mmCIF file of all heavy atoms in Angstrom:
data_model
loop_
_atom_site.group_PDB
_atom_site.id
_atom_site.type_symbol
_atom_site.label_atom_id
_atom_site.label_comp_id
_atom_site.label_asym_id
_atom_site.label_seq_id
_atom_site.Cartn_x
_atom_site.Cartn_y
_atom_site.Cartn_z
ATOM 1 N N MET A 89 68.118 155.053 65.131
ATOM 2 C CA MET A 89 68.191 154.158 63.929
ATOM 3 C C MET A 89 67.219 154.719 62.901
ATOM 4 O O MET A 89 66.301 153.943 62.604
ATOM 5 C CB MET A 89 68.016 152.749 64.301
ATOM 6 C CG MET A 89 68.797 152.273 65.497
ATOM 7 S SD MET A 89 70.441 151.830 65.035
ATOM 8 C CE MET A 89 71.261 151.665 66.646
ATOM 9 N N ILE A 91 66.441 156.941 59.086
ATOM 10 C CA ILE A 91 67.104 157.326 57.875
ATOM 11 C C ILE A 91 66.754 158.720 57.761
ATOM 12 O O ILE A 91 65.500 159.076 57.612
ATOM 13 C CB ILE A 91 66.498 156.500 56.711
ATOM 14 C CG1 ILE A 91 66.808 154.918 56.995
ATOM 15 C CG2 ILE A 91 67.152 156.938 55.382
ATOM 16 C CD1 ILE A 91 66.110 154.003 56.107
ATOM 17 N N VAL A 94 64.357 160.290 54.475
ATOM 18 C CA VAL A 94 63.063 159.974 54.184
ATOM 19 C C VAL A 94 62.063 160.382 55.294
ATOM 20 O O VAL A 94 62.454 160.854 56.294
ATOM 21 C CB VAL A 94 62.866 158.414 53.899
ATOM 22 C CG1 VAL A 94 63.845 157.937 52.814
ATOM 23 C CG2 VAL A 94 62.980 157.558 55.178
ATOM 24 N N ALA A 97 56.793 158.966 58.271
ATOM 25 C CA ALA A 97 55.920 157.733 58.038
ATOM 26 C C ALA A 97 56.701 156.553 57.361
ATOM 27 O O ALA A 97 56.598 155.416 57.856
ATOM 28 C CB ALA A 97 54.764 158.140 57.051
ATOM 29 N N GLU A 98 57.532 156.909 56.460
ATOM 30 C CA GLU A 98 58.378 155.867 55.855
ATOM 31 C C GLU A 98 59.260 155.229 56.801
ATOM 32 O O GLU A 98 59.485 154.041 56.744
ATOM 33 C CB GLU A 98 59.184 156.459 54.639
ATOM 34 C CG GLU A 98 58.229 156.731 53.433
ATOM 35 C CD GLU A 98 58.871 157.730 52.440
ATOM 36 O OE1 GLU A 98 59.778 158.469 52.697
ATOM 37 O OE2 GLU A 98 58.295 157.685 51.285
ATOM 38 N N ASN A 99 59.881 155.977 57.620
ATOM 39 C CA ASN A 99 60.770 155.479 58.716
ATOM 40 C C ASN A 99 60.002 154.458 59.604
ATOM 41 O O ASN A 99 60.489 153.470 59.962
ATOM 42 C CB ASN A 99 61.402 156.621 59.493
ATOM 43 C CG ASN A 99 62.756 156.967 59.073
ATOM 44 O OD1 ASN A 99 63.687 156.156 59.132
ATOM 45 N ND2 ASN A 99 62.913 158.085 58.487
ATOM 46 N N VAL A 100 58.840 154.946 59.948
ATOM 47 C CA VAL A 100 58.113 154.266 60.970
ATOM 48 C C VAL A 100 57.692 152.796 60.458
ATOM 49 O O VAL A 100 57.746 151.785 61.082
ATOM 50 C CB VAL A 100 56.802 154.917 61.518
ATOM 51 C CG1 VAL A 100 55.981 154.061 62.210
ATOM 52 C CG2 VAL A 100 57.325 156.205 62.307
ATOM 53 N N MET A 101 57.184 152.786 59.031
ATOM 54 C CA MET A 101 56.683 151.521 58.547
ATOM 55 C C MET A 101 57.874 150.776 57.912
ATOM 56 O O MET A 101 57.561 149.559 57.582
ATOM 57 C CB MET A 101 55.610 151.788 57.549
ATOM 58 C CG MET A 101 55.910 152.565 56.319
ATOM 59 S SD MET A 101 54.426 152.591 55.290
ATOM 60 C CE MET A 101 54.825 153.765 54.067
ATOM 61 N N LEU A 102 59.029 151.241 57.867
ATOM 62 C CA LEU A 102 60.106 150.555 57.221
ATOM 63 C C LEU A 102 60.219 149.127 57.820
ATOM 64 O O LEU A 102 60.446 148.981 59.058
ATOM 65 C CB LEU A 102 61.455 151.263 57.400
ATOM 66 C CG LEU A 102 62.650 150.614 56.712
ATOM 67 C CD1 LEU A 102 62.454 150.858 55.122
ATOM 68 C CD2 LEU A 102 63.943 151.401 57.099
ATOM 69 N N GLY A 103 60.227 148.120 56.956
ATOM 70 C CA GLY A 103 60.341 146.726 57.449
ATOM 71 C C GLY A 103 58.922 146.132 57.805
ATOM 72 O O GLY A 103 58.739 144.912 57.970
ATOM 73 N N LYS A 104 57.891 146.991 57.908
ATOM 74 C CA LYS A 104 56.602 146.506 58.113
ATOM 75 C C LYS A 104 55.569 147.374 57.333
ATOM 76 O O LYS A 104 54.751 148.026 57.933
ATOM 77 C CB LYS A 104 56.187 146.496 59.684
ATOM 78 C CG LYS A 104 55.386 145.444 60.071
ATOM 79 C CD LYS A 104 55.098 145.476 61.557
ATOM 80 C CE LYS A 104 53.909 144.522 61.813
ATOM 81 N NZ LYS A 104 53.274 144.851 63.144
ATOM 82 N N GLU A 105 55.736 147.422 56.033
ATOM 83 C CA GLU A 105 55.104 148.383 55.250
ATOM 84 C C GLU A 105 53.726 148.045 55.023
ATOM 85 O O GLU A 105 53.249 146.882 54.966
ATOM 86 C CB GLU A 105 55.748 148.586 53.798
ATOM 87 C CG GLU A 105 57.240 149.054 53.849
ATOM 88 C CD GLU A 105 58.246 148.005 54.073
ATOM 89 O OE1 GLU A 105 57.861 146.813 54.285
ATOM 90 O OE2 GLU A 105 59.435 148.364 54.078
ATOM 91 N N LYS A 153 57.787 154.261 66.249
ATOM 92 C CA LYS A 153 58.274 153.078 65.553
ATOM 93 C C LYS A 153 58.080 151.741 66.266
ATOM 94 O O LYS A 153 57.596 150.691 65.752
ATOM 95 C CB LYS A 153 59.681 153.278 65.081
ATOM 96 C CG LYS A 153 60.134 152.715 63.799
ATOM 97 C CD LYS A 153 61.486 153.178 63.397
ATOM 98 C CE LYS A 153 62.579 152.183 63.863
ATOM 99 N NZ LYS A 153 63.912 152.768 63.416
ATOM 100 N N TYR A 156 54.282 151.003 66.874
ATOM 101 C CA TYR A 156 53.791 150.717 65.585
ATOM 102 C C TYR A 156 53.992 149.153 65.348
ATOM 103 O O TYR A 156 53.066 148.332 64.686
ATOM 104 C CB TYR A 156 54.369 151.495 64.391
ATOM 105 C CG TYR A 156 53.990 151.107 62.940
ATOM 106 C CD1 TYR A 156 52.986 151.714 62.359
ATOM 107 C CD2 TYR A 156 54.869 150.173 62.248
ATOM 108 C CE1 TYR A 156 52.644 151.315 61.055
ATOM 109 C CE2 TYR A 156 54.553 149.924 60.985
ATOM 110 C CZ TYR A 156 53.500 150.398 60.397
ATOM 111 O OH TYR A 156 53.151 150.151 59.107
ATOM 112 N N ARG A 157 55.101 148.584 65.863
ATOM 113 C CA ARG A 157 55.328 147.243 65.793
ATOM 114 C C ARG A 157 54.800 146.387 66.937
ATOM 115 O O ARG A 157 55.146 145.280 67.102
ATOM 116 C CB ARG A 157 56.863 147.034 65.700
ATOM 117 C CG ARG A 157 57.530 147.348 64.314
ATOM 118 C CD ARG A 157 58.959 147.625 64.366
ATOM 119 N NE ARG A 157 59.402 147.828 63.119
ATOM 120 C CZ ARG A 157 59.259 148.948 62.401
ATOM 121 N NH1 ARG A 157 58.499 149.877 62.881
ATOM 122 N NH2 ARG A 157 59.725 149.077 61.207
#
Side-chain angles (χ1 to χ4, degrees):
Chain A
M89 310 280 168
I91 303 166
V94 305
E98 285 162 342
N99 263 291
V100 169
M101 65 173 163
L102 187 70
K104 214 183 166 194
E105 295 86 356
K153 211 167 97 182
Y156 175 89
R157 284 162 177 68

